[in-house]
Amino acid sequence: MSTAMNFSSKSFRPRAPDKGSFPLDHFGECKAFKEKFMTCLKDNSYDNSLCRLQSKEYLECRMDNQLMAKEPLEKLGFKDLLDKPSQENQVKP
Amino acid sequence: MLLSIFIRESLCYPKNSFLLTSTHSCIRGLQVQRAKGIHSYCQWFLCRRVPSRLNIQKRGVKSRKSQTRSQEDDWRKRNKTVLTYIAAAGVGMIGLSYAAVPLYRLYCQASGLGGTAVAGHNAEQVETMAPVKDRVLKITFNADTHASIQWNFRPQQSEIYVVPGETALAFYRAKNPTDKPVIGISTYNVVPFEAGQYFNKIQCFCFEEQRLNPKEEVDMPVFFYIDPEFDEDPRMARVDTITLSYTFFEAKEGQKLPLPGYSLTSQHS
């Protein structure tokens, strides 16, 4: 990974993901959500903050189709999106 | 050589002085210079005797013998203590080298040298962290494959703008153009290295075997966030771009590798 052999320089250590690995979506069950997310990104010049709703929907799709361990969305950092359900409908592209 | 051994023995063990007298005449006759040289050498290292002993050619007066004996005992005691100290130091060094391993590990964790995970990396903070809205970071994506794996692996977005403290999603795409299922396993790298400790992946597709069936194409998501403490680190003040790079390797052994110089991997876009 990193070839820096100095004693004091930092080297990169890969870390395992917190919640493990995503199972592969072999059947493309969540492909539609992914496409929505990608179009949102393209439209908003790849600004993640504006497309968090779509990413939340994608993860929900994964959870529904057994492609991800079910977890409350607050734990995935979507607390702000859950607090304002009325605004969600307005933000949708 | 025999002569030297004789002399050494006779000098160190006074009881054999009869040998001394008998051999001494021979020595004198043959090689006086050399005998004297060895004699003084031997004295210096082994017996630490005053050279006048040899010239006396007597069994030695009792008082002198007791003196030398007590001196001998003194020297022996001193030698023993010195040897004990040296042995203790040696054992201490060995013990220190064993203890150094956990001690160094502790030191590294405390100081963060060597890129070890900073103690206190909390998986629960995802819930409670607040996005730092005024620090926008550009995350660029890179995809690589090892020469022997024939997947087409590339990111679906070249860059994405995130802020620390906000979770983000990114996609890679992998396609298996061959007619055989291929199992790959990936690892990742984050540049700059120091930013790597702030780059936390909640879930991704690395470090586990991923199997792609023939002609199959899948989307591989990476769900990550940048630790909000990134904004407070003075070393990261000038960092605006972080590059995440994934590399896929083939996991299964026994698969035919392509001939060297002839590669079927297609170009990445």
Side-chain angles (χ1 to χ4, degrees), chain B residues 218-240:
Chain B
V218 290
D219 300 314
M220 293 173 160
V222 182
F223 193 46
F224 63 94
Y225 67 95
I226 311 279
D227 200 318
E229 284 183 9
F230 181 93
D231 195 35
E232 288 153 29
D233 191 343
R235 290 170 305 186
M236 301 286 132
R238 287 199 206 139
V239 174
D240 288 322

PDB file of all heavy atoms in Angstrom, chain B residues 218-240:
ATOM      1  N   VAL B 218     -22.220  -5.402 -12.190  1.00  0.00           N
ATOM      2  CA  VAL B 218     -22.860  -5.009 -10.930  1.00  0.00           C
ATOM      3  C   VAL B 218     -22.409  -3.621 -10.532  1.00  0.00           C
ATOM      4  O   VAL B 218     -21.331  -3.150 -10.914  1.00  0.00           O
ATOM      5  CB  VAL B 218     -22.535  -5.975  -9.772  1.00  0.00           C
ATOM      6  CG1 VAL B 218     -23.208  -7.295  -9.966  1.00  0.00           C
ATOM      7  CG2 VAL B 218     -21.053  -6.141  -9.598  1.00  0.00           C
ATOM      8  N   ASP B 219     -23.255  -2.998  -9.716  1.00  0.00           N
ATOM      9  CA  ASP B 219     -22.896  -1.720  -9.113  1.00  0.00           C
ATOM     10  C   ASP B 219     -22.379  -1.985  -7.721  1.00  0.00           C
ATOM     11  O   ASP B 219     -22.989  -2.722  -6.948  1.00  0.00           O
ATOM     12  CB  ASP B 219     -24.133  -0.819  -8.987  1.00  0.00           C
ATOM     13  CG  ASP B 219     -24.746  -0.548 -10.327  1.00  0.00           C
ATOM     14  OD1 ASP B 219     -23.995  -0.230 -11.259  1.00  0.00           O
ATOM     15  OD2 ASP B 219     -25.978  -0.665 -10.430  1.00  0.00           O
ATOM     16  N   MET B 220     -21.287  -1.369  -7.401  1.00  0.00           N
ATOM     17  CA  MET B 220     -20.696  -1.583  -6.080  1.00  0.00           C
ATOM     18  C   MET B 220     -20.674  -0.265  -5.339  1.00  0.00           C
ATOM     19  O   MET B 220     -19.971   0.659  -5.734  1.00  0.00           O
ATOM     20  CB  MET B 220     -19.267  -2.097  -6.244  1.00  0.00           C
ATOM     21  CG  MET B 220     -19.238  -3.478  -6.849  1.00  0.00           C
ATOM     22  SD  MET B 220     -17.575  -3.945  -7.213  1.00  0.00           S
ATOM     23  CE  MET B 220     -17.741  -5.688  -7.299  1.00  0.00           C
ATOM     24  N   PRO B 221     -21.452  -0.166  -4.295  1.00  0.00           N
ATOM     25  CA  PRO B 221     -21.494   1.104  -3.576  1.00  0.00           C
ATOM     26  C   PRO B 221     -20.450   1.191  -2.468  1.00  0.00           C
ATOM     27  O   PRO B 221     -19.985   0.179  -1.936  1.00  0.00           O
ATOM     28  CB  PRO B 221     -22.904   1.099  -2.972  1.00  0.00           C
ATOM     29  CG  PRO B 221     -23.213  -0.346  -2.767  1.00  0.00           C
ATOM     30  CD  PRO B 221     -22.428  -1.135  -3.773  1.00  0.00           C
ATOM     31  N   VAL B 222     -20.093   2.412  -2.168  1.00  0.00           N
ATOM     32  CA  VAL B 222     -19.240   2.687  -1.012  1.00  0.00           C
ATOM     33  C   VAL B 222     -19.969   3.736  -0.197  1.00  0.00           C
ATOM     34  O   VAL B 222     -20.329   4.787  -0.715  1.00  0.00           O
ATOM     35  CB  VAL B 222     -17.869   3.252  -1.444  1.00  0.00           C
ATOM     36  CG1 VAL B 222     -17.003   3.477  -0.233  1.00  0.00           C
ATOM     37  CG2 VAL B 222     -17.185   2.328  -2.410  1.00  0.00           C
ATOM     38  N   PHE B 223     -20.202   3.434   1.061  1.00  0.00           N
ATOM     39  CA  PHE B 223     -20.906   4.356   1.935  1.00  0.00           C
ATOM     40  C   PHE B 223     -19.908   4.822   2.983  1.00  0.00           C
ATOM     41  O   PHE B 223     -19.413   4.024   3.777  1.00  0.00           O
ATOM     42  CB  PHE B 223     -22.090   3.620   2.571  1.00  0.00           C
ATOM     43  CG  PHE B 223     -23.072   4.502   3.255  1.00  0.00           C
ATOM     44  CD1 PHE B 223     -23.536   5.658   2.650  1.00  0.00           C
ATOM     45  CD2 PHE B 223     -23.534   4.186   4.514  1.00  0.00           C
ATOM     46  CE1 PHE B 223     -24.445   6.476   3.274  1.00  0.00           C
ATOM     47  CE2 PHE B 223     -24.449   5.004   5.154  1.00  0.00           C
ATOM     48  CZ  PHE B 223     -24.906   6.149   4.537  1.00  0.00           C
ATOM     49  N   PHE B 224     -19.622   6.102   2.970  1.00  0.00           N
ATOM     50  CA  PHE B 224     -18.523   6.565   3.816  1.00  0.00           C
ATOM     51  C   PHE B 224     -18.844   7.932   4.374  1.00  0.00           C
ATOM     52  O   PHE B 224     -19.837   8.578   4.003  1.00  0.00           O
ATOM     53  CB  PHE B 224     -17.225   6.633   2.996  1.00  0.00           C
ATOM     54  CG  PHE B 224     -17.271   7.625   1.871  1.00  0.00           C
ATOM     55  CD1 PHE B 224     -16.809   8.927   2.044  1.00  0.00           C
ATOM     56  CD2 PHE B 224     -17.780   7.264   0.644  1.00  0.00           C
ATOM     57  CE1 PHE B 224     -16.863   9.842   1.018  1.00  0.00           C
ATOM     58  CE2 PHE B 224     -17.836   8.183  -0.394  1.00  0.00           C
ATOM     59  CZ  PHE B 224     -17.380   9.478  -0.214  1.00  0.00           C
ATOM     60  N   TYR B 225     -17.966   8.397   5.242  1.00  0.00           N
ATOM     61  CA  TYR B 225     -18.039   9.776   5.708  1.00  0.00           C
ATOM     62  C   TYR B 225     -16.647  10.204   6.137  1.00  0.00           C
ATOM     63  O   TYR B 225     -15.787   9.368   6.433  1.00  0.00           O
ATOM     64  CB  TYR B 225     -19.043   9.945   6.847  1.00  0.00           C
ATOM     65  CG  TYR B 225     -18.648   9.259   8.145  1.00  0.00           C
ATOM     66  CD1 TYR B 225     -17.985   9.937   9.150  1.00  0.00           C
ATOM     67  CD2 TYR B 225     -18.970   7.914   8.365  1.00  0.00           C
ATOM     68  CE1 TYR B 225     -17.623   9.313  10.324  1.00  0.00           C
ATOM     69  CE2 TYR B 225     -18.617   7.281   9.534  1.00  0.00           C
ATOM     70  CZ  TYR B 225     -17.941   7.987  10.512  1.00  0.00           C
ATOM     71  OH  TYR B 225     -17.588   7.357  11.680  1.00  0.00           O
ATOM     72  N   ILE B 226     -16.465  11.507   6.168  1.00  0.00           N
ATOM     73  CA  ILE B 226     -15.205  12.065   6.656  1.00  0.00           C
ATOM     74  C   ILE B 226     -15.453  12.510   8.091  1.00  0.00           C
ATOM     75  O   ILE B 226     -16.432  13.199   8.372  1.00  0.00           O
ATOM     76  CB  ILE B 226     -14.768  13.278   5.811  1.00  0.00           C
ATOM     77  CG1 ILE B 226     -14.824  12.958   4.330  1.00  0.00           C
ATOM     78  CG2 ILE B 226     -13.390  13.758   6.220  1.00  0.00           C
ATOM     79  CD1 ILE B 226     -13.671  12.204   3.797  1.00  0.00           C
ATOM     80  N   ASP B 227     -14.584  12.121   8.947  1.00  0.00           N
ATOM     81  CA  ASP B 227     -14.721  12.460  10.362  1.00  0.00           C
ATOM     82  C   ASP B 227     -14.763  13.986  10.548  1.00  0.00           C
ATOM     83  O   ASP B 227     -13.938  14.685   9.978  1.00  0.00           O
ATOM     84  CB  ASP B 227     -13.500  11.877  11.094  1.00  0.00           C
ATOM     85  CG  ASP B 227     -13.736  11.732  12.569  1.00  0.00           C
ATOM     86  OD1 ASP B 227     -14.318  12.659  13.166  1.00  0.00           O
ATOM     87  OD2 ASP B 227     -13.333  10.703  13.125  1.00  0.00           O
ATOM     88  N   PRO B 228     -15.691  14.503  11.344  1.00  0.00           N
ATOM     89  CA  PRO B 228     -15.748  15.964  11.530  1.00  0.00           C
ATOM     90  C   PRO B 228     -14.476  16.528  12.140  1.00  0.00           C
ATOM     91  O   PRO B 228     -14.171  17.711  11.952  1.00  0.00           O
ATOM     92  CB  PRO B 228     -16.932  16.177  12.474  1.00  0.00           C
ATOM     93  CG  PRO B 228     -17.644  14.899  12.554  1.00  0.00           C
ATOM     94  CD  PRO B 228     -16.824  13.822  11.962  1.00  0.00           C
ATOM     95  N   GLU B 229     -13.711  15.718  12.820  1.00  0.00           N
ATOM     96  CA  GLU B 229     -12.471  16.221  13.394  1.00  0.00           C
ATOM     97  C   GLU B 229     -11.452  16.594  12.331  1.00  0.00           C
ATOM     98  O   GLU B 229     -10.430  17.198  12.646  1.00  0.00           O
ATOM     99  CB  GLU B 229     -11.871  15.160  14.318  1.00  0.00           C
ATOM    100  CG  GLU B 229     -12.601  15.099  15.629  1.00  0.00           C
ATOM    101  CD  GLU B 229     -11.974  14.100  16.580  1.00  0.00           C
ATOM    102  OE1 GLU B 229     -10.886  13.592  16.286  1.00  0.00           O
ATOM    103  OE2 GLU B 229     -12.592  13.846  17.619  1.00  0.00           O
ATOM    104  N   PHE B 230     -11.716  16.223  11.135  1.00  0.00           N
ATOM    105  CA  PHE B 230     -10.851  16.599  10.022  1.00  0.00           C
ATOM    106  C   PHE B 230     -10.697  18.112   9.949  1.00  0.00           C
ATOM    107  O   PHE B 230      -9.620  18.628   9.661  1.00  0.00           O
ATOM    108  CB  PHE B 230     -11.501  16.062   8.736  1.00  0.00           C
ATOM    109  CG  PHE B 230     -10.718  16.349   7.497  1.00  0.00           C
ATOM    110  CD1 PHE B 230      -9.810  15.428   7.026  1.00  0.00           C
ATOM    111  CD2 PHE B 230     -10.909  17.518   6.794  1.00  0.00           C
ATOM    112  CE1 PHE B 230      -9.098  15.668   5.872  1.00  0.00           C
ATOM    113  CE2 PHE B 230     -10.198  17.767   5.639  1.00  0.00           C
ATOM    114  CZ  PHE B 230      -9.291  16.847   5.178  1.00  0.00           C
ATOM    115  N   ASP B 231     -11.767  18.809  10.257  1.00  0.00           N
ATOM    116  CA  ASP B 231     -11.725  20.253  10.139  1.00  0.00           C
ATOM    117  C   ASP B 231     -10.836  20.879  11.196  1.00  0.00           C
ATOM    118  O   ASP B 231     -10.328  21.980  11.016  1.00  0.00           O
ATOM    119  CB  ASP B 231     -13.156  20.791  10.253  1.00  0.00           C
ATOM    120  CG  ASP B 231     -13.260  22.225   9.791  1.00  0.00           C
ATOM    121  OD1 ASP B 231     -12.543  22.576   8.839  1.00  0.00           O
ATOM    122  OD2 ASP B 231     -14.033  22.978  10.381  1.00  0.00           O
ATOM    123  N   GLU B 232     -10.677  20.151  12.317  1.00  0.00           N
ATOM    124  CA  GLU B 232      -9.919  20.733  13.410  1.00  0.00           C
ATOM    125  C   GLU B 232      -8.449  20.369  13.365  1.00  0.00           C
ATOM    126  O   GLU B 232      -7.669  20.869  14.155  1.00  0.00           O
ATOM    127  CB  GLU B 232     -10.501  20.253  14.740  1.00  0.00           C
ATOM    128  CG  GLU B 232     -11.838  20.899  15.042  1.00  0.00           C
ATOM    129  CD  GLU B 232     -12.670  20.005  15.929  1.00  0.00           C
ATOM    130  OE1 GLU B 232     -12.076  19.233  16.705  1.00  0.00           O
ATOM    131  OE2 GLU B 232     -13.910  20.061  15.831  1.00  0.00           O
ATOM    132  N   ASP B 233      -8.067  19.517  12.465  1.00  0.00           N
ATOM    133  CA  ASP B 233      -6.672  19.097  12.415  1.00  0.00           C
ATOM    134  C   ASP B 233      -5.869  20.129  11.631  1.00  0.00           C
ATOM    135  O   ASP B 233      -6.165  20.376  10.464  1.00  0.00           O
ATOM    136  CB  ASP B 233      -6.603  17.721  11.739  1.00  0.00           C
ATOM    137  CG  ASP B 233      -5.237  17.092  11.891  1.00  0.00           C
ATOM    138  OD1 ASP B 233      -4.263  17.809  12.208  1.00  0.00           O
ATOM    139  OD2 ASP B 233      -5.138  15.872  11.689  1.00  0.00           O
ATOM    140  N   PRO B 234      -4.864  20.714  12.243  1.00  0.00           N
ATOM    141  CA  PRO B 234      -4.101  21.742  11.519  1.00  0.00           C
ATOM    142  C   PRO B 234      -3.340  21.188  10.321  1.00  0.00           C
ATOM    143  O   PRO B 234      -3.086  21.905   9.359  1.00  0.00           O
ATOM    144  CB  PRO B 234      -3.141  22.283  12.579  1.00  0.00           C
ATOM    145  CG  PRO B 234      -3.108  21.265  13.644  1.00  0.00           C
ATOM    146  CD  PRO B 234      -4.409  20.557  13.623  1.00  0.00           C
ATOM    147  N   ARG B 235      -3.022  19.892  10.389  1.00  0.00           N
ATOM    148  CA  ARG B 235      -2.289  19.330   9.251  1.00  0.00           C
ATOM    149  C   ARG B 235      -3.174  19.171   8.031  1.00  0.00           C
ATOM    150  O   ARG B 235      -2.706  19.042   6.925  1.00  0.00           O
ATOM    151  CB  ARG B 235      -1.716  17.968   9.621  1.00  0.00           C
ATOM    152  CG  ARG B 235      -0.595  18.055  10.610  1.00  0.00           C
ATOM    153  CD  ARG B 235      -0.268  16.695  11.102  1.00  0.00           C
ATOM    154  NE  ARG B 235      -1.459  16.058  11.636  1.00  0.00           N
ATOM    155  CZ  ARG B 235      -1.444  14.890  12.249  1.00  0.00           C
ATOM    156  NH1 ARG B 235      -0.324  14.244  12.383  1.00  0.00           N
ATOM    157  NH2 ARG B 235      -2.554  14.370  12.701  1.00  0.00           N
ATOM    158  N   MET B 236      -4.464  19.188   8.272  1.00  0.00           N
ATOM    159  CA  MET B 236      -5.383  18.983   7.156  1.00  0.00           C
ATOM    160  C   MET B 236      -5.901  20.311   6.631  1.00  0.00           C
ATOM    161  O   MET B 236      -6.797  20.335   5.804  1.00  0.00           O
ATOM    162  CB  MET B 236      -6.581  18.135   7.609  1.00  0.00           C
ATOM    163  CG  MET B 236      -6.202  16.793   8.143  1.00  0.00           C
ATOM    164  SD  MET B 236      -5.727  15.713   6.821  1.00  0.00           S
ATOM    165  CE  MET B 236      -4.227  15.071   7.470  1.00  0.00           C
ATOM    166  N   ALA B 237      -5.332  21.397   7.119  1.00  0.00           N
ATOM    167  CA  ALA B 237      -5.896  22.694   6.751  1.00  0.00           C
ATOM    168  C   ALA B 237      -5.812  22.949   5.259  1.00  0.00           C
ATOM    169  O   ALA B 237      -6.655  23.628   4.696  1.00  0.00           O
ATOM    170  CB  ALA B 237      -5.165  23.788   7.521  1.00  0.00           C
ATOM    171  N   ARG B 238      -4.804  22.378   4.618  1.00  0.00           N
ATOM    172  CA  ARG B 238      -4.649  22.675   3.191  1.00  0.00           C
ATOM    173  C   ARG B 238      -5.159  21.548   2.306  1.00  0.00           C
ATOM    174  O   ARG B 238      -4.997  21.602   1.098  1.00  0.00           O
ATOM    175  CB  ARG B 238      -3.178  22.897   2.885  1.00  0.00           C
ATOM    176  CG  ARG B 238      -2.718  24.210   3.422  1.00  0.00           C
ATOM    177  CD  ARG B 238      -1.447  24.659   2.750  1.00  0.00           C
ATOM    178  NE  ARG B 238      -0.758  25.535   3.670  1.00  0.00           N
ATOM    179  CZ  ARG B 238       0.536  25.531   3.885  1.00  0.00           C
ATOM    180  NH1 ARG B 238       1.296  24.709   3.202  1.00  0.00           N
ATOM    181  NH2 ARG B 238       1.069  26.336   4.746  1.00  0.00           N
ATOM    182  N   VAL B 239      -5.718  20.549   2.934  1.00  0.00           N
ATOM    183  CA  VAL B 239      -6.163  19.412   2.129  1.00  0.00           C
ATOM    184  C   VAL B 239      -7.566  19.680   1.632  1.00  0.00           C
ATOM    185  O   VAL B 239      -8.476  19.908   2.418  1.00  0.00           O
ATOM    186  CB  VAL B 239      -6.140  18.130   2.990  1.00  0.00           C
ATOM    187  CG1 VAL B 239      -6.729  16.976   2.228  1.00  0.00           C
ATOM    188  CG2 VAL B 239      -4.725  17.812   3.418  1.00  0.00           C
ATOM    189  N   ASP B 240      -7.714  19.682   0.317  1.00  0.00           N
ATOM    190  CA  ASP B 240      -9.039  19.902  -0.262  1.00  0.00           C
ATOM    191  C   ASP B 240      -9.521  18.732  -1.075  1.00  0.00           C
ATOM    192  O   ASP B 240     -10.695  18.622  -1.372  1.00  0.00           O
ATOM    193  CB  ASP B 240      -9.003  21.133  -1.184  1.00  0.00           C
ATOM    194  CG  ASP B 240      -8.893  22.401  -0.390  1.00  0.00           C
ATOM    195  OD1 ASP B 240      -9.524  22.463   0.680  1.00  0.00           O
ATOM    196  OD2 ASP B 240      -8.183  23.311  -0.827  1.00  0.00           O
TER     197      ASP B 240
END
